[in-house]
Every structure is written in structure tokens, then in C-alpha cells.
Amino acid sequence: MTHLATERAAPALPRAARSPHQPLAIPAVRLGEGGVLGGWQRRNAEATIGHCVAQLESSGVLDNFRRVVGESGAPYRGFVFADSDLYKTIEAVAWEIARSGTDRWDAWLDDVIGLVARVQEPSGYVMTWIQGVHPEKRFAELHWTHEMYVAGHLIQAAVALDRAAGRDDLLRIATAFADLLDRRFGPGREEGVCGHPEIETALVELYRHTGVERYLALAQRMVDLRGRGLLKVGNLGATYFQDHAPVRQARDAVGHAVRQLYLNAGVTDVHLETGEPALLEAMQAQWDSAHHRKMYLTGAFGSRHRDEAFGDDYELPSDRAYAETCATIADVHWSWRMLLATGEPAAYAETIERELHNALAAAVGDDGTTFFYANPLQLRPDRFSEENAPRERRAWYSCACCPPNLARLLAQVSAYVATSTDDELVLHLYADAEIDVPAHLGGGVLRVETSYPDDGAVRLRHDGDRPLRLALRVPSWSSRTVLDGAPAEADADGYLRVDLAGAATLELDLAPRWTRAHHRADALRGARAIEVGPRVYCVEQVDLPDDVALDDLVVDERAPLVRADGATVRTTAAVRPRADALYGPTEQDLSAGEVAVVAIPFARWGNRGSSAMRVWLPVV
Ligand SMILES: [Zn+2]
């Protein structure tokens, strides 16, 4: 039997009617499998989710549960938070059910949810590392044990499964754990926050789904207590944990990047329900910090391997970028919530698009079963490899946070394509799709036909009794936008309004362009990147002649950029002599020879074996 998802089958559905934008349910936005996003979503369904399910067995995650109840004699394997790999995979399965109605995973869900139910204690507690390895640490080392982080992923998976399939067995497990957390850490009780944020956004979702206000109050309390010195921060320092300042005063994105970005998603969720202005004000300052001074061109975050941390403003080295996949996923969650919270969606939608088509697309291989953890913008030919920054994508990691996180994001990605307001349907992401138009806008189906971002043409069709008011996002890079053959301008908010009756064609400007970085970004000074539409490009050694080294290329931004087959871009570059001295006099022309260069989307790099790669190409 296939499943019929409910109209609430989407993540982040605000309960308070504060945002002018209403998310659309996943089943209402059907991505065409021939399109770029839809094809990726199909590959996620066919390859990535099954791969994650198999890895839960081979990596020991499920045995960690079995051993607690005497069903396995295996030792505990993985990091303390390994349970979250299971919950993220269940969440991916849930959104995939919402998307396709598949029953492929029903028996597997029966098995694993039954297992979690057996492991859960009557108190509601379930966390295998504590139960099976260190019971004495229960709620005793919140800075490090990730108990609430794991609970957060359990809650998100449970809410997703109930919304997607009307299945509430995992939800009963999750609410029992949330109730335990509330009895212990709720208002007026013990003060405690988790070292790794995640529970905040999850508790708001649980409140939205159940209507139980205690969960929102607990999320609010976790936000209020952060930055009060409750965590034993040790050598890592309070900044690593975002415990250095109260949330309302912390204006800069600092410390462990994934933690900061998950926290911000949760804080924005609390604001969406309570409307507290100080939280949104702090989040807007945080968003500027993270996106205008610390984001890589590819939509990645985290300039330092050490402590997996944001760097200083404009500290953006390409080769040593940590740029963890999970940080970008967390930022998609946060930026979507900011889109809803501010009602000014253009910058947030453009960021999500950049993240999807660059950092996240590159994080998974063409096979759908190999993954990057770190996503640097340059791979040197002789660079050492380390576990979380390998030269080629790996099938899994001992810290396997990223692969199932990607699986759950892709399974839910259709929820980020459009929203509705009182009087218009708003398209934020362009993808081949059929979108059910909400009844208050006239109903019917909007057909979006496009191979974007391979091509800039977006054909729209809606047949109904009355014209459909559409708001179409015009990206900031589209310098010449055309609607039905005539130049068209967006309104001040970055959206082009159309009353669609029948068909129309929007053409976005996909002319290749050179991009520079801010003058304070020392690591990027004197270099240019190639972009086409939302995509960042790179050059790989494998596309150069054998006698030309990638790192000897020097480009000239006056050289034409020509779009060629398969979304590649062709240009020319000079080749520096490798024998040049390490240091030498200035004003010496070192150029020698010229070579044709093929650039490919960063999203596609590393699919032809290990090869040097760079996004930023020197001009001097
Ligand atoms: Zn990760």
C-alpha cells in the first residue's frame, strides 16, 4: 500500500500566522525527474537513502541499539552521537514517503522503530551511548554527551514521519523523551543546555506538530539559557559552543560552524512562534556576519579545520577550507526560516539556491553513494589527505553526520521551491516541476518546464478560471531578464510579478561571468572565479594537457568566457614557468605560453578520479 501524505507534509510549518509566506507541502511540489533538482532527488531516493540504510548496519549504529537490550554482543561503535545517523535516515525516508508515497521502507521502519521502542526506558530516555557505555554520565556532561542533540534528531524524524505518512509510533517515542527533558530541564527546574544545538529547532517543530506549548517553552528556555556559562567549556572555550554571550547579544557567527547555524535555525523558529523582535534582530546581525563576511563563494562555512570553526571576517582560504557539508545544510534550514520570518525572501532564497547548486551538489558524487565531509575550493596536486578532508569522496565516515543529513535535505528540497501569500504564488527556486496552486489563489496546477540551471529558460503554464498572480525571483546576477521576449524588471523586492493566464516564458541571464572577492579577503586577492547563473565553476587538472599544471595557470578577466557543451565554459589562460623562483623581484613578466581552459561546475568536480582542482584562478 502506498502512503498518502497530508497537506502538512513539510518541514518548518509555523503555527503562528506571523509570516506572509506559507510553505507548500512536499506532495504539492512535484519535481520533474528530468530536471536538475528533480534528478538529484530521484538519485537520492534510488541510491543515497538505501546506501545510508545499509551503512547503519555495517557501521554498527543499529548494533549499538541492539546491545542495550541484549540483542547483540558487539562493542559500541562510533561517536557518542551515532544514534543520530539512524534518526536522520528515518527522516530522509519520511520525506521520501511524502514525495513519492513509496512503501519500500515500511518493513525497515517497523524494524528500526520497534528496536528504538525496546531500547527506550519507561522514563522516556533513549540514547545508546549513555545507556550502554556510560550510564553514570546521564545528563551529567551536557557539554559533550550530545544527549539533547540526539533527542532533537529523534524528534525531527518523528514529526516528519507523522506528517508524511500519518505514522505516529516514532512520535510517541520522541514525545516521551521530550517530556522527560521538560520534567528535568523545563521552566523552573534544573538549568541545562546541550553542547551541540539542535534540540531548539526540533522542540519548536514538536510544538508546531502537537500544539503542546510546553515544548515551545522548553525551546525558548534553551535559547534563553545559552551564553550564561552553564556549559563546562574546557580548553575549547565558550565560543566553540556559542556559550560566550547571550543569544540576543551575540552578533557574530563564531565557533563551531554547524553548532552556530543549527542554533540560529532554532532561535529563528522560536521567533517565528513568539514574535520577539530582539531574537530576529540578533538573527539578522548573525545572518549578515555569516553570509556577508564569512561565507565561501560556494555557500560553504567554516574556514578552519581546528575546532571546525568559522574564521575571522574575510578569512576564507580555499585550500584549507573546512566547509563541512552539515554547515551548509544547517544554513539552508536557517535561511529558509529567515525567509519566512522577515517576509523579504530574495536574499535568503538566492543563498539557498547557491548552497544547493554548489557546496551541497559537490558533496555527493554522481553515484549518489560517495560523499565529501569537507568541501574545499582548491585541491592541491600534492595535498595531504586527512579523514574528514579526503582527496576523493568516501562511502562513509567514522563521524557520519553528513551523508544522512544530505539524504534528508534532498528528500525535503521540494518544500523550498515556492511559498504562497494571501494573493500570490512565489517562486523562489527554479526547477522543472508541477506545483499545485492553493485554492485561495484559484487552484489548478502550475507547470514549470526548465533545465535550469543548465539553461536559463523557464516555461510557465497555468490554465484556470482566472489569472494566477505569480512572483518570480530574479537573481541578483541576472543582468538581462526577459519575459515573453521583452526585457523585464523585478520589483524592489527582487521579484517579478506576472498575472499568468496560459503560458509565459522567463529567461534568466546565464552569460558566464568573472567574479572577484572583497579586498579584505587576503586568500582570494588577485584571483577571479567563473560563475554561470547560480553555479560556481572550477578547473580540474584532468581537463588540462599533461604538460600544463593547474597551479601554473594565470587568467585575464578580459579573456572571453564561452559556454560550451555539457554546461562547461571555455576560456584561455597563460602558463607560468614552474621553474620560477619562490621569491624574486617585482615587475617581471613571467607569463609563458597560452592554453585553452575548460571550466566545469564546482558541483561536478571530483567525479573523474583524484585531480587537482581550483575555483579561484590567479590573475597576476
Ligand atoms: Zn557533517
Side-chain angles (χ1 to χ4, degrees):
M1 189 191 80
T2 53
H3 298 279
L4 287 175
T6 70
E7 61 186 19
R8 291 183 57 76
L13 297 175
R15 198 173 178 89
R18 201 161 271 112
S19 174
H21 289 271
Q22 296 303 309
L24 303 185
I26 287 169
V29 184
R30 297 172 292 281
L31 300 182
E33 296 191 345
V36 173
L37 270 190
W40 185 5
Q41 204 175 42
R42 183 192 58 197
R43 188 184 67 196
N44 189 60
E46 292 177 354
T48 307
I49 290 176
H51 177 77
C52 291
V53 166
Q55 291 290 332
L56 293 171
E57 200 63 77
S58 55
S59 69
V61 167
L62 292 175
D63 274 342
N64 290 344
F65 282 86
R66 295 183 185 115
R67 65 190 292 279
V68 174
V69 287
E71 297 173 17
S72 167
Y76 184 93
R77 281 195 283 163
F79 283 80
V80 301
F81 47 82
D83 295 5
S84 60
D85 297 347
L86 170 63
Y87 301 140
K88 279 189 269 193
T89 304
I90 293 175
E91 187 183 341
V93 167
W95 297 130
E96 175 55 23
I97 290 172
R99 182 187 82 90
S100 67
T102 181
D103 58 4
R104 176 182 172 190
W105 303 110
D106 285 9
W108 179 78
L109 287 170
D110 292 345
D111 275 356
V112 297
I113 294 172
L115 178 59
V116 177
R118 292 196 295 284
V119 173
Q120 185 171 41
E121 297 175 2
S123 68
Y125 193 90
V126 52
M127 206 272 199
T128 66
W129 186 78
I130 292 286
Q131 290 171 279
V133 184
H134 282 291
E136 78 285 0
K137 293 183 187 289
R138 181 174 306 196
F139 296 137
E141 298 181 12
L142 290 179
H143 58 289
W144 201 243
T145 54
H146 289 69
E147 288 157 283
M148 294 195 217
Y149 167 86
V150 167
H153 280 299
L154 166 61
I155 291 166
Q156 286 179 322
V159 168
L161 198 56
D162 197 37
R163 284 183 184 160
R167 178 175 182 153
D168 69 354
D169 46 358
L170 192 65
L171 188 64
R172 289 197 299 274
I173 294 170
T175 50
F177 201 174
D179 289 342
L180 169 65
L181 293 176
D182 182 52
R183 287 195 300 276
R184 176 133 184 174
F185 297 102
R189 305 189 185 95
E190 186 177 335
E191 293 188 334
V193 296
C194 186
H196 197 313
E198 156 69 20
I199 187 73
E200 300 83 358
T201 185
L203 283 169
V204 177
E205 281 285 84
L206 187 61
Y207 156 72
R208 289 170 176 155
H209 190 65
T210 63
V212 177
E213 302 221 346
R214 283 183 291 114
Y215 303 136
L216 177 61
L218 185 57
Q220 168 95 56
R221 181 166 163 83
M222 300 293 173
V223 168
D224 292 347
L225 291 178
R226 202 156 206 100
R228 296 255 314 274
L230 293 174
L231 290 167
K232 295 174 199 154
V233 298
N235 290 337
L236 288 162
T239 302
Y240 174 91
F241 298 97
Q242 293 77 42
D243 200 32
H244 59 293
V247 163
R248 292 166 185 78
Q249 278 126 55
R251 301 287 157 144
D252 292 322
V254 294
H256 189 286
V258 178
R259 294 175 199 236
Q260 176 77 74
L261 294 166
Y262 273 146
L263 174 64
N264 292 358
V267 171
T268 309
D269 272 328
V270 170
H271 163 79
L272 274 163
E273 301 304 337
T274 67
E276 184 191 335
L279 288 182
L280 184 59
E281 198 188 312
M283 287 299 100
Q284 285 174 313
Q286 280 271 341
W287 206 86
D288 287 348
S289 166
H291 296 83
H292 297 156
R293 300 190 292 279
K294 300 192 178 189
M295 184 179 80
Y296 281 97
L297 185 64
T298 52
F301 303 87
S303 311
R304 299 180 186 172
H305 283 232
R306 177 159 183 162
D307 298 344
E308 310 182 276
F310 279 107
D312 290 339
D313 288 352
Y314 307 106
E315 179 190 342
L316 292 164
S318 294
D319 50 352
R320 292 296 291 158
Y322 195 62
E324 184 182 342
T325 303
C326 284
T328 298
I329 292 169
D331 195 69
V332 170
H333 292 175
W334 179 33
S335 292
W336 181 251
R337 287 157 175 78
M338 290 295 286
L339 180 158
L340 297 176
T342 61
E344 295 169 357
Y348 305 110
E350 187 159 320
T351 298
I352 290 170
E353 176 176 67
R354 175 172 292 277
E355 294 171 337
L356 286 171
H357 287 300
N358 296 288
L360 295 179
V364 55
D366 282 348
D367 49 25
T369 57
T370 53
F371 309 90
F372 280 129
Y373 184 116
N375 294 277
L377 285 77
Q378 178 184 6
L379 187 70
R380 294 185 185 278
D382 49 359
R383 204 192 107 171
F384 72 93
S385 181
E386 57 188 30
E387 200 210 331
N388 288 346
R391 298 184 65 80
E392 294 185 74
R393 296 177 185 85
R394 289 187 178 175
W396 208 245
Y397 291 84
S398 60
C399 176
C401 49
C402 302
N405 217 0
L406 262 180
R408 72 177 182 141
L409 184 79
L410 258 293
Q412 68 183 216
V413 77
S414 31
Y416 305 128
V417 168
T419 54
S420 68
T421 66
D422 287 348
D423 51 11
E424 57 191 22
L425 186 71
V426 188
L427 281 191
H428 304 292
L429 301 181
Y430 294 106
D432 194 87
E434 288 184 350
I435 301 173
D436 291 341
V437 177
H440 75 275
L441 298 176
V445 173
L446 172 69
R447 288 185 171 78
V448 184
E449 197 186 307
T450 182
S451 55
Y452 180 91
D454 287 345
D455 187 88
V458 181
R459 286 169 290 281
L460 304 157
R461 179 164 198 96
H462 179 259
D463 297 303
D465 298 337
R466 59 179 165 109
L468 170 64
R469 191 89 216 272
L470 273 179
L472 306 168
R473 186 173 62 84
V474 176
S476 62
W477 43 256
S478 185
S479 48
R480 185 171 181 276
T481 302
V482 172
L483 184 70
D484 287 334
E489 293 262 336
D491 295 337
D493 68 353
Y495 286 73
L496 175 67
R497 263 75 189 184
V498 182
D499 289 312
L500 183 67
T505 299
L506 175 73
E507 289 172 72
L508 299 168
D509 184 1
L510 291 195
R513 61 192 191 273
W514 291 107
T515 296
R516 65 161 180 85
H518 190 280
H519 62 268
R520 288 192 180 186
D522 293 275
L524 308 178
R525 186 176 299 126
R528 298 289 183 269
I530 298 168
E531 293 187 280
V532 179
R535 278 180 172 149
V536 176
Y537 274 59
C538 67
V539 179
E540 282 193 291
Q541 180 67 53
V542 68
D543 286 319
L544 291 169
D546 288 345
D547 60 345
V548 174
L550 174 60
D551 288 346
D552 294 335
L553 296 186
V554 180
V555 295
D556 183 333
E557 64 191 9
R558 290 166 299 185
L561 296 170
V562 180
R563 290 199 70 192
D565 295 341
T568 60
V569 169
R570 294 180 183 277
T571 188
T572 55
V575 183
R576 287 261 167 98
R578 190 173 186 174
D580 187 17
L582 183 56
Y583 307 105
T586 61
E587 297 174 13
Q588 184 180 358
D589 182 7
L590 297 167
S591 297
E594 192 173 90
V595 66
V597 171
V598 174
I600 65 164
F602 177 75
R604 307 286 323 283
W605 90 273
N607 278 297
R608 294 171 292 174
S610 177
S611 177
M613 176 278 295
R614 57 190 305 157
V615 166
W616 291 96
L617 303 161
V619 290
V620 288

